[in-house]
Amino acid sequence: MRPHSDLLPLLTFCGYAGETIDYSANNTAGFAGEVSMSHVFHRHCHSTLPMIASGRGVYLFDTEGKRYLDACGGAAVSNLGHDNHSVKRAIAQQMEHIPFAHTGFFTNQPAEELATLLCQLAPEPLNRVYFVSGGSEAVESALKLARQYFLEKGQPEKCEFIARRQSYHGNTLGALAVGGNEWRREQFRPLLTPAHHIAPCYSYRDQREDESEQAYALRVANELEARILEVGAEKVMAFVAEPVVGATAGALPAIKGYFQRIREICDQYDVLLILDEVMCGVGRTGTFYAFEQDDVIPDMVTIAKGLGAGYQPIGAVLVAEPIYQAIAEGSGFFQHGHTFMCHPMACAAALATVKCIVDNDLLQHVRAKGYQLKEKLRWTVGKLPNVGDIRGRGLFIGIELVSDQASKAPFPPPLAVHKRIKAQAMANGLMIYPMGGTIDGRRGDHILLAPPFIIEDSEIDELIDKLYLTLRQVFHELEGQQ
């Protein structure tokens, strides 16, 4: 039992004492200093993290006063920066009305308006929205909905998923099972349901020298048909893919024509196309939905991360009308659900976020600044000998790193180049999103850039300067270690 004095800060914070705690930058450091150890189970047990104090625009500030340029949006989340007043106001106003009401009893206005707006921004027949609290929940919901859809249609034998190697679709067991990143799957493999994986569309490494882009796109897309026939078309429910692969492959877009062929194959064999836009959606690639640039319409699309811009946790599945009607005209009940689905405050934040993107024409800004950032990267860091490929769409850009440009050989995994780069970048006041295992879950390193949509020219220049400095420092350190 804690002594009464230890409970006073908690009681004060909860409104039971006569004053409130000041969590400003000046006081947070003192408060943290009184704690002998952290009781937080952090991502890494041996990490020592700076204490965040505040944010303004594209910058974050720790309790020591150090400023960090957020060049990755956390993980492609903070698309409006860190102090958007319209989103904050929407959250505060919703809190005054009603912060929570369970969806087993009520609907709420923000959820209804947000669903309408998301469907207006999507092509037909995507006109139903299922709200959850994050990306993994969104993918898990889509997978279960695919299964129930075929049950409602009287096709219970349909129970298999196909996805792509090096894909990531979330950390819940169903989403992890579908994902094809072997590093994430390995230790949980005994718990995972079987899934099938084909090659990604990864032209930098896999396109043959004598092969056109179109021929390559068709070759790798046709792997889906071959796998469907191998598994049995009567058994395959859905194909799951990211239009632009994010965390595991570094903003890797598909070659033009790839997803059109994928769509044809899915239609031919009665297989649902589920596109995972948890990271690349909500304007990140320059169109509100990333699939718009691939000239296809999925049967379901999952979104999260940038949907709430980091101000509230929220995710969603947009569902094609035939899938909804199969449930509505059958059992009438999707046998799934979460306590915080359609959360009023989360939906209010997301509604304000989407309105801000649309009303301020931020998609055009994303396209313009994304082009500018990519071109400047090519003329600066692209000249470094260990930069192999710069790719992506909009403000979703990946930089693949190599030990040798000519052979495209990756750095040896024990060097953990991505970890060194992240640490050095933070020391230089730059937040980027490096990751290892780009090629197969073990080999390869890349950097993911996903700055807020509001980034301006001077901040792009600062990003490039700090990134260039960081890479030169790390590459210099690596000389002689390979």
Side-chain angles (χ1 to χ4, degrees), residues 309-366:
Y311 292 86
Q312 289 280 288
I314 186 170
V317 187
L318 273 80
V319 181
E321 186 67 18
I323 297 174
Y324 175 83
Q325 289 301 331
I327 307 296
E329 296 169 6
S331 67
F333 172 67
F334 178 27
Q335 193 175 329
H336 184 58
H338 297 278
T339 300
F340 296 113
M341 60 186 291
C342 292
H343 193 281
M345 289 174 60
C347 289
L351 179 62
T353 296
V354 176
K355 284 183 176 179
C356 185
I357 292 171
V358 173
D359 294 346
N360 293 285
D361 198 17
L362 287 183
L363 296 179
Q364 172 58 33
H365 195 77
V366 169

Side-chain angles (χ1 to χ4, degrees), residues 118-394:
L118 290 174
C119 291
Q120 288 173 346
L121 292 167
E124 289 284 349
L126 293 168
N127 54 13
R128 303 285 176 168
V129 186
Y130 189 89
F131 289 115
V132 291
S133 298
S136 294
E137 282 187 13
V139 171
E140 200 84 12
S141 300
L143 301 180
K144 292 176 72 175
L145 183 55
R147 171 59 179 166
Q148 186 168 338
Y149 166 70
F150 283 111
L151 284 175
E152 302 274 1
K153 287 181 63 180
Q155 297 175 265
E157 67 279 4
K158 289 247 184 196
C159 60
E160 303 277 354
F161 291 106
I162 300 175
R164 302 188 294 183
R165 294 191 295 274
Q166 267 306 87
S167 60
Y168 174 64
H169 299 295
N171 268 329
T172 52
L173 288 176
L176 188 63
V178 170
N181 181 260
E182 289 304 318
W183 176 75
R184 287 172 171 81
R185 290 166 51 89
E186 186 174 5
Q187 68 176 327
F188 302 107
R189 196 178 306 278
L191 308 180
L192 304 181
T193 55
H196 308 275
H197 297 97
I198 61 174
C201 191
Y202 190 0
S203 61
Y204 173 66
R205 291 198 172 273
D206 297 340
Q207 185 177 340
R208 299 166 185 160
E209 289 187 6
D210 61 347
E211 191 174 37
S212 68
E213 283 195 345
Q214 183 180 20
Y216 169 68
L218 291 176
R219 175 168 64 83
V220 290
N222 283 333
E223 285 194 24
L224 175 60
E225 181 176 35
R227 187 57 58 90
I228 289 172
L229 294 175
E230 177 186 323
V231 175
E234 72 283 358
K235 296 179 181 178
V236 179
M237 280 188 292
F239 176 66
V240 186
E242 295 172 273
V244 183
V245 183
T248 53
L252 180 62
I255 297 295
K256 184 175 178 59
Y258 171 84
F259 274 110
Q260 290 175 305
R261 177 59 183 144
I262 291 291
R263 177 75 271 183
E264 290 173 357
I265 295 168
C266 288
D267 290 341
Q268 181 178 352
Y269 295 102
D270 194 19
V271 171
L272 297 178
L273 176 58
I274 301 173
L275 293 184
D276 177 355
E277 297 199 6
V278 166
M279 186 171 262
C280 65
V282 195
R284 174 55 61 187
T285 63
T287 50
F288 193 83
Y289 298 104
F291 67 75
E292 296 175 56
Q293 297 176 53
D294 293 294
D295 297 320
V296 294
I297 301 173
D299 299 294
M300 287 186 263
V301 57
T302 60
I303 54 176
K305 293 189 184 292
L307 179 59
Y311 292 86
Q312 289 280 288
I314 186 170
V317 187
L318 273 80
V319 181
E321 186 67 18
I323 297 174
Y324 175 83
Q325 289 301 331
I327 307 296
E329 296 169 6
S331 67
F333 172 67
F334 178 27
Q335 193 175 329
H336 184 58
H338 297 278
T339 300
F340 296 113
M341 60 186 291
C342 292
H343 193 281
M345 289 174 60
C347 289
L351 179 62
T353 296
V354 176
K355 284 183 176 179
C356 185
I357 292 171
V358 173
D359 294 346
N360 293 285
D361 198 17
L362 287 183
L363 296 179
Q364 172 58 33
H365 195 77
V366 169
R367 291 191 292 270
K369 297 307 175 187
Y371 176 82
Q372 180 181 336
L373 175 56
K374 193 187 295 184
E375 287 302 300
K376 288 189 173 183
L377 285 168
R378 285 176 174 153
W379 283 102
T380 53
V381 301
K383 303 296 185 181
L384 294 172
N386 296 113
V387 172
D389 189 33
I390 297 175
R391 54 183 177 246
R393 295 176 182 169

Side-chain angles (χ1 to χ4, degrees), residues 381-409:
V381 301
K383 303 296 185 181
L384 294 172
N386 296 113
V387 172
D389 189 33
I390 297 175
R391 54 183 177 246
R393 295 176 182 169
L395 284 172
F396 199 47
I397 297 172
I399 304 168
E400 185 163 344
L401 307 174
V402 292
S403 64
D404 178 74
Q405 280 184 339
S407 67
K408 303 180 183 178

Side-chain angles (χ1 to χ4, degrees), residues 433-472:
Y433 200 81
M435 189 65 67
T438 313
I439 300 171
D440 55 12
R442 190 182 70 86
R443 298 176 302 135
D445 300 271
H446 69 262
I447 298 166
L448 188 64
L449 299 178
F453 297 175
I454 60 172
I455 194 168
E456 296 295 349
D457 293 357
S458 62
E459 295 156 346
I460 287 176
D461 290 341
E462 180 186 347
L463 186 166
I464 290 173
D465 288 344
K466 289 184 172 180
L467 179 59
Y468 184 80
L469 172 64
T470 296
L471 292 177
R472 288 199 62 180

Side-chain angles (χ1 to χ4, degrees), residues 21-37:
I21 297 174
D22 181 1
Y23 280 94
S24 65
N26 292 333
N27 286 319
T28 307
F31 175 76
E34 296 171 5
V35 179
S36 59
M37 63 169 285

